[in-house]
Amino acid sequence: MTAIPQERRLVTAIPGPKSQELQARRTAAVAAGVGSTMPVFAARAAGGVLEDVDGNRLIDFGSGIAVTTVGSSAEAVVRRASAQLADFTHTCFMVTPYEEYVAVCEELAALTPGDHAKKSALFNSGAEAVENAVKIARSYTKRQAVVVFDHAYHGRTNLTMALTAKNMPYKNGFGPFAPEVYRVPMAYPYRWPTGPENCGPEASAQAIDQISKQVGARNVAAIIIEPVLGEGGFVEPAKGFLPALARFAKDNGIVFVADEIQSGFCRTGQWFACEDEGVVPDLITTAKGIAGGLPLAAVTGRAEIMDAAHPSGLGGTYGGNPVACAAALGAIETMKELDLPARARRIEEVMKGRLSAMAGKYDVIGDVRGRGAMIAVELVEDRATKKPAPEAAAALAKACHQEGLLVLTCGTYGNVLRFLPPLVIGEDLLAEGLDILEQALAAL
């Protein structure tokens, strides 16, 4: 691991002069449509700290959007990827295969929920994984319709934009979108009209009713859902919602797909978030935390479903790149050795305790939610009306950034602060980050 002191340090304003110079170069050379949360340029990162080109050390509550679960330079990831890099960088698995791809698929079969026979196919990004899950489900069922949910996020390719719920910034001006995509209600406990206690059964009944009446169960190839929503606001579906949908899918020959791209690989305190209610998906899509920061994604599922696509119907030049596969084996090794699901549960205990106390003091916090190290606060202008407060979320994020705490926003209404610290972060950094947040809340 890169030797970076695990402590926050600010030696310049944020952004510093070197970051400002690079920002000017970026503005001239990089397309304006590519955004950034903070205008600081990274030089090194490890554990729970990111160091910029000016020597500032920031506390990382973002993990590159849930990617660097094991830290940004975990020893096993660096060791295995470096060794593979020295052997060869690429042959293309579809030309001459290599063991690392097979080994990752074996790990996925062992780690994902369910004891049925499983197979995997590897890709480059989460959006690619979701898109290929749809291809596989359509090939298996010989049906076309795909059902997704309010507040969903599944990617930025044409098909996955259609699956994604939020218009700005993901869809606006980029249509027309892929057809045969149908959206139904999500069990969003905080905003459910009759209260969170009724949310699970009522939302599942509504969703199933809409699918049955508007699409027809016999026309549905796949139901795709994030077991904990990501970009949509870290919404944990009300209890009972996921099992009801999984039963409906099973009863009607529909492929049930869990999109665990953000919630998978120990992030929620279990290896996969769908384990919380014992849901065993037919297919599961993974990416982000899978390879310690290298581009890799997977679709894993029931062998008979995964084998439905004809030979050469799945793949891609870079899919399952050998260096990324080696990194994934290093990330999984780290997750097992350090028991990162337990670390995630401890992070939840610390964060929810502090955030709940803050909610008792600051009315702008309407809801504290999430599991493991996938925690969020939803900000509102008024607790009675629950009117979203996106300006407060933006102001809090900016205040945290200025003090050297990297945080992210999300949510359909732009009013959610989300926290995704690396699971290897020290508790002192966790506490200091929460102190900075509380100071920002007090000054709001």
Side-chain angles (χ1 to χ4, degrees):
M1 182 185 286
T2 306
I4 301 176
Q6 293 297 294
E7 56 190 29
R8 180 176 67 107
R9 180 181 74 169
L10 296 182
V11 295
T12 71
I14 302 291
K18 290 181 181 177
S19 278
Q20 291 181 46
E21 287 175 21
L22 284 166
Q23 183 66 24
R25 287 171 55 190
R26 172 205 164 118
T27 301
V30 179
V34 182
S36 288
T37 298
M38 286 182 75
V40 298
F41 283 72
R44 301 187 300 161
V49 168
L50 187 150
E51 185 173 290
D52 73 10
V53 289
D54 290 288
N56 298 299
R57 294 196 201 111
L58 315 177
I59 299 173
D60 183 7
F61 275 16
S63 297
I65 319 182
V67 169
T68 55
T69 300
V70 296
S72 301
S73 49
E75 185 277 330
V77 172
V78 174
R79 168 171 42 83
R80 287 185 180 240
S82 298
Q84 179 57 47
L85 200 59
D87 287 343
F88 61 91
T89 60
H90 177 76
T91 67
C92 184
F93 191 76
M94 298 183 302
V95 178
T96 55
Y98 35 85
E99 184 181 356
E100 292 76 16
Y101 188 118
V102 177
V104 170
C105 294
E106 289 170 341
E107 289 283 5
L108 287 165
L111 292 169
T112 51
D115 56 7
H116 50 274
K118 297 177 212 159
K119 293 188 178 183
S120 295
L122 304 184
F123 305 97
N124 303 294
S125 69
E128 271 189 77
V130 173
E131 191 134 341
N132 277 278
V134 172
K135 287 167 60 176
I136 293 163
R138 284 175 168 165
S139 184
Y140 178 72
T141 62
K142 306 296 188 275
R143 304 171 181 178
Q144 294 184 343
V146 179
V147 171
V148 287
F149 295 82
D150 287 338
H151 312 288
Y153 178 84
H154 297 292
R156 295 176 182 259
T157 59
N158 186 266
L159 174 57
T160 56
M161 278 192 294
L163 303 176
T164 292
K166 190 175 180 181
N167 177 48
M168 280 295 288
Y170 305 115
K171 302 171 73 166
N172 195 55
F174 297 144
F177 303 115
E180 285 302 304
V181 173
Y182 300 88
R183 194 169 311 284
V184 296
M186 164 56 68
Y188 191 154
Y190 178 63
R191 294 193 172 274
W192 195 252
T194 60
E197 64 281 357
N198 300 314
C199 183
E202 289 182 4
S204 57
Q206 282 188 26
I208 289 167
D209 184 61
Q210 283 191 26
I211 296 166
S212 302
K213 288 179 178 175
Q214 297 179 23
V215 189
R218 291 183 180 179
N219 296 316
V220 179
I223 293 172
I224 306 176
I225 190 166
E226 303 157 272
V228 177
L229 270 62
E231 300 292 319
F234 281 30
V235 178
E236 238 190 308
K239 297 300 183 194
F241 186 71
L242 290 174
L245 289 167
R247 281 194 301 272
F248 172 75
K250 184 177 182 181
D251 290 345
N252 289 279
I254 300 167
V255 176
F256 188 77
V257 183
D259 178 342
E260 293 252 20
I261 287 157
Q262 191 159 165
S263 61
F265 285 100
C266 313
R267 176 57 59 180
T268 62
Q270 292 160 302
W271 276 90
F272 297 96
C274 57
E275 294 177 71
D276 182 64
E277 291 186 88
V279 171
V280 177
D282 297 310
L283 300 180
I284 185 165
T285 60
T286 52
K288 290 192 182 291
I290 193 174
L294 275 73
L296 189 69
V299 183
T300 302
R302 297 184 184 277
E304 68 274 16
I305 299 177
M306 291 298 298
D307 281 343
H310 52 270
S312 299
L314 305 177
T317 302
Y318 293 107
N321 169 270
V323 181
C325 285
L329 295 170
I332 291 167
E333 176 187 326
T334 305
M335 291 170 192
K336 290 176 178 176
E337 284 188 0
L338 299 182
D339 191 3
L340 291 192
R343 291 274 192 105
R345 294 192 294 272
R346 174 58 185 160
I347 289 170
E348 175 184 354
E349 186 182 354
V350 172
M351 293 199 87
K352 276 194 170 175
R354 287 287 303 276
L355 293 170
S356 296
M358 291 180 210
K361 289 197 276 186
Y362 303 104
D363 288 347
V364 71
I365 298 177
D367 194 27
V368 177
R369 59 175 178 254
R371 293 207 305 272
M374 190 173 180
I375 304 293
V377 291
E378 179 163 357
L379 306 178
V380 293
E381 291 185 11
D382 179 85
R383 282 184 173 177
T385 64
K386 299 181 181 176
K387 183 180 179 183
E391 297 84 3
L396 276 177
K398 185 177 180 181
C400 289
H401 295 165
Q402 293 301 310
E403 292 301 316
L405 173 65
L406 196 163
V407 296
L408 307 171
T409 59
C410 68
T412 298
Y413 313 107
N415 67 324
V416 176
L417 270 183
R418 57 174 158 170
F419 309 111
L420 291 160
L423 302 189
V424 295
I425 193 170
E427 286 200 24
D428 54 339
L429 288 175
L430 202 58
E432 187 177 0
L434 290 164
D435 290 342
I436 292 168
L437 175 65
E438 183 150 20
Q439 290 161 13
L441 278 165
L444 197 62

